[in-house]
Amino acid sequence: MSLQQASTMNKQQSKESLKDKVKGMFGLGPSRPPSKQAESKPSELIITNEILKELGPDCALPNRIRIIGHVCELARAKKLEENAVEALWTAVEDMLQPEQPAEARHAVLQLLRAIIQGQGDRLGPLRAYFFKVVRDYHPCNEYLPDRLEVFKALTENGKDITYLEEDIACFVVLWMDVGLTADFLHVLVNLVKFNSCYLDQNVSHMVQKICLLCNRTTSSTDIEVALQVLDAVVCYNCLPSDSLSVFISTLCRTVNVKEFWKLMRKVLGTHLGHSAIYTMCRIMEDRAYTEDAALLRGAVFFVGMALWGAHRLSALKNTPTLVLPSFYKAMTCPNEVVSYEIVLSITRLIKKYGKELQVVTWDILLKIIERLLQQIQTIGSQELKMIVHELLTTVEELYEQNLLGYHGSSDHFFSLIEKCSDKRPESSVLTLISYRAQSIQPAKDGWIQNLHKLMEKFFRNESRSAIRVKVLDVLSFVLSTNRQLYEEELIEVVVIPQLSQIAEDRDLPVRRLATQLLVDLAEGCSTHHFNSLLDIIERVASRSLACSGSFEGERELSTESPMEDVKTAVLGLLEILQSKLYSVPVGHVTRVYELLVGHLQLHYKNKYCSGVASSVRLQVFDFLLQMRADSLHRLGVPNKDGGLRFSPYCLCDLGETEKRASEKKPAGTVSPPRGQPGPPPQAPSIRTAHLPYSLSFTVLLQCLKLETDWKVLKLVLDKMPAMLRYKVLVLTSPCSTDQLCSTLCTMVTDRQISERLRKTPDGFARMDVQLAVVPVLTALTSYHSYLEQPRQRELVQCLETGLIYRSAKQCVVALTMCTVEMPDIMIKLLPALIVKLTHISATVAMATPMLEFLSTLVRLPHLYANFVAEQYVSVFAISLPYTNPSKFNQYIVSLAHHVIAMWFIRCRLTFRKDFVQYITKGLRSNALLPFDDSHEQSSFRARSTSLNERPKSLRTAKVAKQAPSSSSPLKS
């Protein structure tokens, strides 16, 4: 239908009335009252010929544009009379020609938009005509927003395309080439939603154009609206399969937009879901996209989220095994973004479904992890490194669940851990070491070399203490289970190369544990490697034990002390020595023994005073003082149960050459120091070893002279009497008992000795030292034949000195021994000694030793042959107080009577008459003392009176001068 034919259908009205009405409406003439017809249709606008003439080509263009402006306002507000639209368009149609000014075309577009907005429901077939006007407008790129507004008005923003159905698809395609804006996309959303069936043949082109826009634009608004169009295409139309690739690529590149995941999920939920997964896998594998990080990242994200993400699509049947190879190929070109997304995706997979993954899937995952570890070496991203190691930790957690978790190759996985072990946490490396330890067994080929490699990597080249300790535990376990058959190979290939420098190691726990391992190994080693092991232990034991600062008491004994490894080494030598005493080859025990003695000598040479040093000396001395020798000169030590077992291989005597050399030495000499040449010994039997106790004896003397720790010194003094009872031990080697006696006597007389000692108990005094020394002196009396005369005299004088202290009881016992063992010395000292004994109070504690001394002495007449009356009186004065039955038991009283009787019988006949009255009076005041009397006071009174009331014939001035004062007796 032409516009002219449409206009002839309008009703004819008088020219005058139309002209006047238009002029009145436009303000060109006087107003007139409306006609009856106008009153019936007040909103209908009549277009007169005059208006059409003014709009026509004959009028000037400015006037036409002005009139169009007025008509636009009226056309929006009122309904036009029938066929008026056709008439108006016929009048202004020429203004759209390309040769017309732009403002003329713009005015016509404004008029067309106003007519459509005001008369849209009455246009009918004119809609198609006006659509063609917008579509065929020239120039095509002019006034696009205005033309779009006309189209939006014509189609109600894309919802109504009545009369436009056949041409709408082509129009959309054409318009997308010239005016693809957000406004048009809004219209396109409604076109797809309400008229999708008319766009089928051009949907592919539309999708491609919109995807191209998404890839090029940076405007969030454009992307948002384009997303709405694509969403409408998916929801209201079938996405063409030929558009799937570009559609997927676009979504992958815009993965950061949250809504795109929703759109992708919709696509994956359609019949194209598996095709979409395949497309994304093809993208990841295509070499053309190896450097397109955004595209690859999106593909990885969407595939992972769709198949095992938080909102996975159960309709998709693709398994991880099918898509993970594509992930691997996506990493052909190292890229931080892509690798990061892959790590996130497979971490999510392992955490959610790790227990369900099969071996083939784990193989691919481990290949991906291996490539990730290679990439983080070059990419250098800390964030990527962190999440890759978190991924490894996730796999480790599955592995630790044993069969319920990890089903992949353990060898492959731990080889990956080993490659990056220096970056892994301690717990991870410890798990790795535990796994490697499982294969270190004789059933595995090259197991000793594998152990060496493990030690090389995680002990020698590792700095973390826990890891190095773990490897030592593995080595210790392997040695304990395989040493019987493979001891030599393990020591030669692993132990000595790896632990030879342990003494210089800076890690205390490692040094201590390694030293203990060497000790345990050496204790059971009987091959030539023993000396190599002992060399290492010796270097550890030779480390300094000096305090780093002031003395710190008990803190030095804590396990945190930096000298604990030295203690471990020395105590280990003790264990080795005790074990080697009863095994062959015998040369081993000799060296260990010399090492221990040499170590103690270092203590006194360097004046070690730390708590650890004292603890070491305490235990070594305890061992040396427990050494014993039997009549066959065999050495032995008590076992844990206290039983004494003697060695069939170790003797305490010297070789014949050494014996002859020692016989030529004067008494009191000591063996030459270590390191100095001595007489060449005869070749000993290969099955016997000689451990001369002179080495231990020398260091014991050093202890007595130089020791500053009271606990150590007291141990030595307490245990030395028991050791001295085994004379074979001491006398078969040049042990200078004379020097020992001199040293002990010096300790008794030294008034400053308590000042040199540390760690003493409260109330400690010089007397405590004397109490500890006296038993040793007592035991030493049996060696009188090996003591020089001056030394014997000094010994007795020291014992006499101790009579006035708390050691009086021990001193009396020792003096009793001296009377038997050293009569030549005692015969000269007895007269003065007897007098000194009268100074000791008669107490229960002193009763037995005093009476036994007198009882022993009375049987040695050659010692008291020259006694005068004064000495006999002193004997009776000592004995009489012990006859008191109210104070002493029956044995003491009987022994006292026996002593008095024996001495009375043995004294000269000339003295007896004078002694009768003295003894009688003493017995009367002691033996017949009333029981209700104060025992203690009466005993003292009796003693004092028994001496003062001696026979008158004996009260000479000389005796009176020698007699002690009875008014101040000393109690023991």
Side-chain angles (χ1 to χ4, degrees), residues 154-428:
L154 185 63
T155 61
E156 295 184 16
N157 210 26
K159 297 179 181 180
D160 183 10
I161 59 169
T162 307
Y163 301 109
L164 315 180
E165 294 87 347
E166 296 180 359
D167 299 324
I168 191 67
C170 295
F171 170 77
V172 170
V173 173
L174 292 174
W175 192 268
M176 293 179 75
D177 290 334
V178 295
L180 188 58
T181 62
D183 287 342
F184 176 74
L185 291 175
H186 278 296
V187 177
L188 191 55
V189 170
N190 288 331
L191 285 173
V192 175
K193 287 182 178 181
F194 295 96
N195 306 284
S196 60
C197 60
Y198 298 102
L199 301 175
D200 285 347
Q201 58 184 351
N202 296 98
V203 170
S204 296
H205 189 71
M206 290 167 48
V207 172
Q208 291 179 2
K209 290 290 184 181
I210 295 173
C211 290
L212 184 62
L213 172 67
C214 292
N215 293 333
R216 290 181 177 179
T217 186
T218 58
S219 171
S220 59
T221 302
D222 289 348
I223 294 177
E224 181 180 356
V225 181
L227 178 64
Q228 295 177 11
V229 177
L230 295 175
D231 184 71
V233 170
V234 173
C235 295
Y236 295 91
N237 203 322
C238 292
L239 182 67
S241 58
D242 58 351
S243 302
L244 184 62
S245 179
V246 65
F247 180 84
I248 294 297
S249 298
T250 299
L251 295 187
C252 290
R253 285 195 172 92
T254 53
V255 68
N256 287 330
V257 181
K258 181 179 180 181
E259 286 73 12
F260 271 31
W261 161 237
K262 297 179 181 179
L263 177 57
M264 175 63 82
R265 199 167 185 273
K266 291 177 182 179
V267 175
L268 294 172
T270 66
H271 67 287
L272 295 175
H274 290 91
S275 297
I277 295 294
Y278 171 74
T279 300
M280 287 186 281
C281 289
R282 191 180 60 189
I283 289 173
M284 288 186 278
E285 296 180 11
D286 195 337
R287 292 190 176 184
Y289 301 122
T290 54
E291 296 185 3
D292 194 339
L295 179 61
L296 294 175
R297 179 202 175 193
V300 171
F301 171 79
F302 286 130
V303 170
M305 289 298 291
L307 298 182
W308 56 75
H311 303 286
R312 63 185 295 263
L313 298 169
S314 57
L316 296 175
K317 304 303 179 182
N318 306 80
T319 63
T321 309
L322 297 176
V323 300
L324 288 176
S326 300
F327 282 30
Y328 181 75
K329 289 190 176 181
M331 302 169 64
T332 302
C333 184
N335 186 280
E336 178 183 351
V337 174
V338 178
S339 298
Y340 194 94
E341 195 63 51
I342 289 176
V343 175
L344 292 178
S345 184
I346 63 176
T347 300
R348 191 180 301 117
L349 169 63
I350 294 172
K351 284 185 176 181
K352 293 184 66 176
Y353 305 105
K355 296 180 180 180
E356 304 172 10
L357 301 179
Q358 301 303 314
V359 176
V360 63
T361 309
W362 277 111
D363 288 342
I364 304 171
L365 285 171
L366 294 177
K367 288 177 63 178
I368 293 174
I369 295 174
E370 184 174 10
R371 180 162 288 185
L372 285 169
L373 292 174
Q374 295 171 356
Q375 289 185 354
I376 62 177
Q377 301 298 325
T378 57
I379 293 177
S381 169
Q382 292 301 321
E383 292 80 4
L384 180 59
K385 290 180 181 178
M386 182 179 66
I387 64 169
V388 169
H389 285 287
E390 288 177 357
L391 171 60
L392 288 172
T393 302
T394 301
V395 180
E396 281 180 353
E397 292 173 356
L398 280 177
Y399 170 79
E400 291 173 357
Q401 298 177 19
N402 204 356
L403 297 178
L404 299 178
Y406 178 73
H407 300 296
S409 170
S410 298
D411 283 338
H412 191 182
F413 172 66
F414 282 108
S415 66
L416 299 181
I417 295 292
E418 187 170 352
K419 288 179 181 178
C420 59
S421 59
D422 56 331
K423 305 296 190 303
R424 297 294 296 156
E426 286 185 357
S427 59
S428 176

Side-chain angles (χ1 to χ4, degrees), residues 532-583:
S532 300
L533 297 174
L534 209 59
D535 288 340
I536 304 174
I537 298 173
E538 181 182 8
R539 286 195 290 271
V540 177
S542 300
R543 295 181 67 249
S544 175
L545 284 170
C547 293
S548 57
S550 60
F551 186 76
E552 300 181 19
E554 294 300 323
R555 192 189 72 81
E556 291 289 337
L557 297 176
S558 68
T559 55
E560 298 300 323
S561 170
M563 299 172 280
E564 279 295 316
D565 57 319
V566 182
K567 181 178 179 181
T568 301
V570 178
L571 299 186
L573 289 174
L574 285 177
E575 296 175 5
I576 296 172
L577 178 58
Q578 190 165 3
S579 174
K580 292 294 182 180
L581 277 173
Y582 307 100
S583 63

Side-chain angles (χ1 to χ4, degrees), residues 749-969:
T749 58
D750 186 3
R751 297 181 178 275
Q752 308 297 326
I753 190 169
S754 59
E755 297 179 2
R756 100 181 186 205
L757 297 175
R758 299 175 178 176
K759 296 184 182 180
T760 55
D762 295 337
F764 179 81
R766 172 190 171 195
M767 190 179 301
D768 294 294
V769 179
Q770 294 172 340
L771 286 171
V773 172
V774 168
V776 187
L777 290 173
T778 303
L780 201 58
T781 58
S782 63
Y783 289 84
H784 61 89
S785 58
Y786 301 94
L787 299 178
E788 298 176 354
Q789 290 287 336
R791 201 67 58 226
Q792 295 180 19
R793 188 177 297 106
E794 186 179 5
L795 170 61
V796 176
Q797 290 172 349
C798 282
L799 294 175
E800 289 181 2
T801 304
L803 291 175
I804 62 174
Y805 301 111
R806 285 181 297 171
S807 58
K809 177 181 177 181
Q810 294 172 326
C811 290
V812 172
V813 173
L815 289 170
T816 304
M817 294 289 295
C818 291
T819 59
V820 177
E821 300 289 347
M822 297 182 292
D824 295 340
I825 299 298
M826 293 299 293
I827 195 171
K828 299 178 182 179
L829 301 177
L830 268 177
L833 175 62
I834 294 295
V835 175
K836 288 183 180 180
L837 292 178
T838 61
H839 293 192
I840 301 175
S841 299
T843 61
V844 174
M846 292 300 302
T848 299
M850 291 287 282
L851 293 175
E852 288 180 350
F853 172 77
L854 296 176
S855 178
T856 302
L857 182 60
V858 78
R859 287 168 173 79
L860 303 172
H862 61 284
L863 294 181
Y864 59 88
N866 296 324
F867 272 19
V868 296
E870 177 63 25
Q871 282 80 46
Y872 286 106
V873 170
S874 297
V875 170
F876 295 137
I878 295 171
S879 306
L880 284 170
Y882 295 108
T883 61
N884 187 350
S886 63
K887 184 176 181 181
F888 303 101
N889 59 35
Q890 185 177 359
Y891 169 75
I892 298 299
V893 173
S894 299
L895 184 59
H897 282 86
H898 173 74
V899 169
I900 294 171
M902 291 299 295
W903 276 99
F904 182 79
I905 295 173
R906 295 298 180 92
C907 71
R908 299 175 187 174
L909 294 176
T910 56
F911 294 160
R912 292 183 183 180
K913 180 180 179 181
D914 296 326
F915 292 156
V916 170
Q917 185 179 1
Y918 178 76
I919 295 172
T920 303
K921 188 173 183 180
L923 290 174
R924 186 180 298 113
S925 61
N926 288 282
L928 304 179
L929 186 71
F931 287 98
D932 58 348
D933 201 1
S934 176
H935 304 319
E936 186 176 357
Q937 292 180 1
S938 62
S939 65
F940 288 140
R941 185 164 55 250
R943 283 190 61 240
S944 58
T945 56
S946 63
L947 254 171
N948 292 331
E949 297 180 3
R950 63 187 62 189
K952 294 182 180 180
S953 61
L954 300 177
R955 294 178 186 175
T956 61
K958 182 177 180 180
V959 174
K961 185 177 181 181
Q962 294 177 350
S965 175
S966 62
S967 60
S968 58

